[in-house]
Amino acid sequence: MSSIIPAELRYTESHEWVRANDDGTVTVGITDHAQHLLGDLVFVEIPEVGRAVTVAEECAVVESVKTASDVYSPVDGVIVEVNEALADNPELINEDPYGEGWIVKIETTATLDALLDASAYEVITIADEDEDASSLANPKLVE
């Protein structure tokens, strides 16, 4: 399985992607690799707008025909927008994980420097494939 890993995004070890926006927010979703591991998504539990989140805090849940997996906040901040389209169309994440399949937007003052770049994230996806991973519950850490 070859995953799409856009170079302009940042990533977490738990398979979230992060895009910095010009308005002080970041857009967050799960990676192409993650959606492949999960399979066909059937439900997305999105958080409430206005909720404060901290780094590594569960902020959403994605459910597939195989399993449910938490989505973690990559930064400290406040959720300012959620992708309401996912309520009726969770498969948007499978179809377009880096576009229409985004999950939340978070207002933050954090920098994204501590997050993985595309090359570092690719190492994690290769390790997952080598282990024949079938779950996002225990992502492989790369030191």
Side-chain angles (χ1 to χ4, degrees), residues 7 27 47 51 54 60 63 76 86 90 102-104 109 112 118 125 127 138:
T27 302
R51 175 177 158 194
T54 58
E63 292 183 18
D76 294 337
L86 297 177
W102 65 275
I103 298 173
V104 297
T109 57
L112 305 183
T125 67
N138 296 303

Side-chain angles (χ1 to χ4, degrees), residues 30 34-44 62-68 89-95:
I30 65 169
Q35 70 84 19
H36 278 297
L37 291 175
L38 288 166
D40 293 335
L41 293 174
V42 295
F43 179 74
V44 179
V62 291
E63 292 183 18
S64 71
V65 294
K66 294 181 186 179
T67 189
N89 299 296
E91 68 275 5
L92 287 172
I93 293 173
N94 296 112
E95 296 166 0

Side-chain angles (χ1 to χ4, degrees), residues 10-95:
R10 291 296 189 139
Y11 301 88
T12 67
E13 293 169 345
S14 54
H15 304 288
E16 289 83 18
W17 60 264
V18 185
R19 177 183 295 117
N21 302 316
D22 293 336
D23 62 358
T25 65
V26 295
T27 302
V28 179
I30 65 169
T31 65
D32 184 51
H33 181 72
Q35 70 84 19
H36 278 297
L37 291 175
L38 288 166
D40 293 335
L41 293 174
V42 295
F43 179 74
V44 179
E45 181 182 315
I46 51 178
E48 289 187 29
V49 170
R51 175 177 158 194
V53 291
T54 58
V55 171
E57 177 184 347
E58 175 269 314
C59 65
V61 178
V62 291
E63 292 183 18
S64 71
V65 294
K66 294 181 186 179
T67 189
S69 184
D70 291 332
V71 177
Y72 300 97
S73 178
V75 294
D76 294 337
V78 176
I79 296 171
V80 294
E81 189 176 345
V82 296
N83 188 348
E84 299 285 352
L86 297 177
D88 293 326
N89 299 296
E91 68 275 5
L92 287 172
I93 293 173
N94 296 112
E95 296 166 0

